[in-house]
Amino acid sequence: MTDEVLDLVIAGSGVAGLSAAVYAARADLDPLVLEGDEPGGQLTLTTDVENYLGFPDGVGGMELIQRGREQAEQFGATFEHGSIVSARTDSRPIALDLSTGDTVRTRALVVATGASARWVGAENEAELMGYGLSTCATCDGAFHRGDDVLVIGGGDSAMEEALFLAKFADSVTVVHRRDELRASEIMAERAREHDDVTFRWNTELQAIHGSQEDGVSSTTLVSHPDGYPREKAAADVDVETETVDVGGVFYAVGHTPNTAFLDNTGVQRDEDDYIVPQADEAGRLTARTTVDAVFAAGDVADPEYRQAITSAGTGSMAALDAEEYLDSLDVAPEATPTPSA
Ligand code: NDP
């Protein structure tokens, strides 16, 4: 890893990071893209993307990412393994401590670290994640041909996962902690109408049973007629407990933005830890954050739209805003050699 001060580091290699990399590389900023813990981001877990402009027949998520990376590399972006563990933004250049043990110094940073699937906190989930427990039906659904599976959650993702899993599994049961779905009506209707999808209302997953050798074999479910049974059980209210045999469990309970490394940096985040993008002087949307050399793009700053195309859009905005910021510095655009860290 280089000792020189870089102009721009882009944290994250999903669609937002790649879009930022294409724009920044074309602007001769020689961006370094840190691939992060999930190189390529969430699109690599998707099969076909049908709503990305310019692909009337759809495009594979992985293919879209590979093409984006090729495009960025062609213009001069470089890619390195690793993610940021902590960022020091109180002096310039910004210093980034990486998971690889290296420290990188940069004049500007685009945060495009995305969001990761949430877990529910059931017993044994850490042991069984990847062994019959999954957060991605499109990745792991095909391993469950003929199984009975559970999908945990009541949002659009849960409906989407349930419908996808119904192609392989014998039965899919959506387990939701209350009696009303959060999902949009159209998605909920599709799931309700599917013969192989059923719902368990006011129910939560307490524990998952099985082993890494044999996968998931059963689950412990708790339920209460007023919903949120685990909260009730924790408050010593009686709940119904049942063991249900299943061959797989899929979590679809939302995402958490990957922003822990921004603790103590002054980058403003909302109550769910999403970065809050700042408006410009005229009140218009930008990719700026509350720290002047730090910009944000993609799902890490977007709990609302979370689309590949909006991530590509904010990625380009972040690169353009970073370029404007770097232009405003009284520094030659070429990297300035400095003593090693
Ligand atoms: P959401 O936040 O919309 O839904 C999460 C669901 O999980 C909620 O039903 C929530 O319950 C439940 N949940 C959260 N935590 C727990 C827990 N600890 N235990 C049990 N259940 C829990 O996330 P999604 O990922 O579904 O969707 C995110 C965004 O992406 C939404 O805007 C959605 O519309 C969009 N999306 C759109 C799709 C499409 O249109 N094709 C497909 C997928 C997502 P509760 O309701 O009680 O809070």
Side-chain angles (χ1 to χ4, degrees), residues 120 153-157 160 176-178 182 228 252-254 306:
V120 305
D156 281 332
S157 296
E160 200 170 63
H176 187 34
R177 62 186 178 184
R178 55 195 176 105
R182 180 178 294 276
Y228 300 96
V253 293
R306 303 163 38 94

Side-chain angles (χ1 to χ4, degrees), residues 41 80 98 131 152 337-338:
E80 295 272 0
L98 308 188
Y131 299 90
I152 315 298
T338 59

Side-chain angles (χ1 to χ4, degrees), residues 246-266:
V246 293
V249 178
F250 289 81
Y251 284 173
V253 293
H255 289 79
T256 303
N258 298 314
T259 54
F261 69 93
L262 293 172
D263 286 354
N264 310 315
T265 59

Side-chain angles (χ1 to χ4, degrees), residues 158-167 172 187 190-191 194 197:
M159 302 306 107
E160 200 170 63
E161 303 263 288
L163 289 165
F164 184 80
L165 287 165
K167 295 178 191 170
V172 180
M187 297 291 289
R190 279 184 203 161
H194 198 293
V197 178

